[in-house]
Amino acid sequence: MALGVMIVMSAQAGSTAKIVGIGAQTCAAFNQEISANQAAELYFFAWAQGFMSGALIRAPAGIDEDLDLTPPSVPLQAQVHFLRTFCAKNPGQDYMDAVRALYHRLRGPGI
């Protein structure tokens, strides 16, 4: 497994955030990893949970304060399926893009 991957992206004008860890890969790499070793998906999902938790903690006051990252309407297994499906359909995007899409889904419609 490629654990030392890093993506540098613009967080705000003039600043960058270095995204590291197993989830800092392309969806194509994710797809390849989980086809070779299905248990790898657990590592990716653990990274996704940490990424979303970090985004929630860093959100400005009044933004996503009551967001439940494990709502009954989208249980963990459904979240794993969402990420797998996103990457299967979008191999040219980053796994992080899949996680962001999941985060927005958890935020609910119209947000």
Side-chain angles (χ1 to χ4, degrees):
M1 256 184 264
L3 296 175
V5 177
M6 175 176 56
I7 296 174
V8 178
M9 55 180 289
S10 177
Q12 295 178 354
S15 67
T16 59
K18 292 180 183 178
I19 306 301
V20 298
I22 192 168
Q25 297 188 54
T26 64
C27 278
F30 166 78
N31 295 336
Q32 184 176 7
E33 291 264 356
I34 67 168
S35 69
N37 177 10
Q38 191 172 9
E41 191 167 26
L42 297 174
Y43 297 112
F44 278 91
F45 187 62
W47 182 91
Q49 288 179 308
F51 184 85
M52 290 188 298
S53 294
L56 189 57
I57 288 170
R58 295 222 23 177
I63 304 293
D64 296 343
E65 285 182 351
D66 295 324
L67 179 60
D68 183 356
L69 294 176
T70 56
S73 61
V74 190
L76 295 179
Q77 197 60 22
Q79 293 182 32
V80 169
H81 178 73
F82 179 95
L83 295 169
R84 186 182 323 118
T85 301
F86 182 100
C87 280
K89 291 180 179 178
N90 303 285
Q93 292 193 322
D94 293 324
Y95 182 76
M96 182 179 59
D97 296 323
V99 177
R100 282 184 178 163
L102 174 59
Y103 185 86
H104 287 288
R105 178 171 179 211
L106 295 173
R107 290 176 81 195
I111 298 176

